[in-house]
C-alpha cells in the first residue's frame, strides 16, 4: 500500500446534486467540499488529500498529470502522490481572494500580476488554464499567490475568459469610492449569473 492510500477510503452519500462525507479516516480533518471532490487536511502534516466523488475519479489522474507538468513552479502546490481516486498535495495556509473580498482584505495589484504570471508559465508548458476564479486563488500570510484546483488546465481545451473578466472588475475595485468588502451571498449570486449567462466551463 502507498503512503496515503489508506486515507482515500472515504464514504460519500449523494444528496441531489451534492455529496456529503459519511465516513473518513480518523486522522483526517474535512477542509472543504467542491463540485467533484472533498479535501481533507492530514492531521499534524502540512498536506491535504483530495478525494474525488464516485463518478469523478478520472479527474484525479488528469489533475495529477497537470501538477506533474507544473512541478517546480512557485505558484502551484506540490503533488506528492496520486491514486485512482485521490491526489495528495501541500496544504497552503492563507485566504482565497473570495475570502479577501468578504473580509475586506485589500487585494493588491501585485497579486493580480502574480496570477497572470502563473497562467503565462502554465501556457508555456502547453496547458490551457481555464476556470480561474476567486475561490481557487490563495493569498498566503507572507503575500505569496498560489493557484489550486487545476483540473481545468488541460491541454487543448476550450479557452474561457473568466480571469480576464475578473481583471476588468478589479479595475473598478481599485477606485477609492468602491467598497472593499462584499457580502458572500451577493458575490455568490453574481458568480451564479456569470456562469449561467456568460461563461460556463462545463459547456
Amino acid at each position: 500500500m502507498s503512503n496515503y492510500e489508506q486515507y482515500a477510503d472515504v464514504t460519500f452519500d449523494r444528496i441531489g446534486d451534492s455529496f456529503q462525507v459519511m465516513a473518513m479516516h480518523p486522522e483526517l480533518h474535512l477542509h472543504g467540499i467542491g463540485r467533484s471532490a472533498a479535501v481533507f487536511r492530514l492531521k499534524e502534516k502540512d498536506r491535504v488529500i483530495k478525494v474525488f466523488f464516485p463518478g469523478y475519479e478520472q479527474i484525479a489522474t488528469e489533475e495529477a498529470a497537470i501538477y506533474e507538468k507544473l512541478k517546480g513552479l512557485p505558484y502551484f502546490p506540490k503533488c506528492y502522490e496520486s491514486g485512482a481516486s485521490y491526489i495528495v498535495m501541500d496544504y497552503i495556509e492563507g485566504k482565497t481572494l473570495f475570502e479577501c473580498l468578504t473580509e475586506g482584505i485589500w487585494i493588491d495589484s501585485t497579486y493580480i500580476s502574480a496570477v497572470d504570471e502563473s497562467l503565462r508559465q502554465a501556457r508555456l508548458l502547453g496547458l490551457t488554464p481555464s476556470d480561474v476564479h476567486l475561490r481557487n486563488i490563495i493569498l498566503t500570510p507572507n503575500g505569496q499567490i498560489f493557484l489550486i484546483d487545476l483540473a481545468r488546465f488541460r491541454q487543448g481545451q476550450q479557452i474561457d475568459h473568466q480571469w480576464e473578466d475578473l481583471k476588468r472588475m478589479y479595475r473598478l475595485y481599485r477606485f477609492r469610492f468602491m467598497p472593499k468588502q462584499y457580502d458572500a451571498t451577493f458575490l455568490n449570486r453574481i458568480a451564479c449569473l456569470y456562469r449561467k449567462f456568460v461563461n460556463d466551463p462545463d459547456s
Side-chain angles (χ1 to χ4, degrees):
M1 180 177 286
S2 67
N3 292 331
Y4 297 98
E5 188 175 356
Q6 60 178 319
Y7 300 113
D9 187 17
V10 177
T11 302
F12 296 107
D13 185 27
R14 183 162 193 163
I15 302 176
D17 293 330
S18 61
F19 288 84
Q20 287 187 347
V21 176
M22 305 304 294
M24 61 185 183
H25 194 283
E27 292 185 17
L28 295 182
H29 172 73
L30 180 61
H31 190 64
I33 295 181
R35 289 182 290 176
S36 60
V39 176
F40 305 87
R41 186 171 183 185
L42 293 158
K43 291 182 180 178
E44 300 180 0
K45 294 182 183 290
D46 290 328
R47 296 180 185 179
V48 296
I49 181 169
K50 185 174 183 179
V51 183
F52 291 82
F53 303 140
Y56 293 87
E57 294 93 344
Q58 78 284 354
I59 302 177
T61 301
E62 296 172 359
E63 192 162 346
I66 291 167
Y67 276 107
E68 178 64 23
K69 204 169 185 67
L70 295 168
K71 184 169 62 176
L73 294 182
Y75 305 101
F76 307 97
K78 180 180 178 180
C79 180
Y80 295 93
E81 183 178 299
S82 64
S85 63
Y86 70 93
I87 56 176
V88 178
M89 303 166 291
D90 286 320
Y91 168 72
I92 306 299
E93 182 182 358
K95 295 183 181 295
T96 66
L97 294 194
F98 183 91
E99 290 171 323
C100 289
L101 281 182
T102 60
E103 296 177 24
I105 298 171
W106 169 251
I107 299 175
D108 195 79
S109 61
T110 58
Y111 308 150
I112 306 302
S113 298
V115 176
D116 280 338
E117 179 60 18
S118 71
L119 300 181
R120 186 188 72 84
Q121 293 190 24
R123 293 187 187 101
L124 288 175
L125 293 171
L127 297 173
T128 309
S130 182
D131 198 27
V132 179
H133 55 78
L134 299 177
R135 280 193 170 92
N136 59 20
I137 303 170
I138 297 179
L139 173 65
T140 69
N142 65 359
Q144 188 173 358
I145 287 290
F146 280 88
L147 274 68
I148 59 173
D149 293 339
L150 307 181
R152 298 186 185 279
F153 275 44
R154 302 182 190 95
Q155 292 175 306
Q157 69 173 350
Q158 182 178 351
I159 299 173
D160 73 50
H161 303 284
Q162 189 166 211
W163 175 243
E164 295 302 320
D165 290 335
L166 285 169
K167 286 200 298 182
R168 292 186 184 94
M169 297 307 298
Y170 180 76
R171 294 171 191 162
L172 295 175
Y173 166 88
R174 294 184 67 183
F175 284 117
R176 184 173 300 176
F177 62 83
M178 290 292 290
K180 302 300 180 281
Q181 184 171 6
Y182 296 84
D183 180 73
T185 301
F186 171 76
L187 293 177
N188 286 330
R189 287 174 178 169
I190 295 296
C192 182
L193 290 171
Y194 177 83
R195 182 177 294 276
K196 182 175 182 179
F197 294 109
V198 180
N199 186 70
D200 185 355
D202 293 323
S203 63

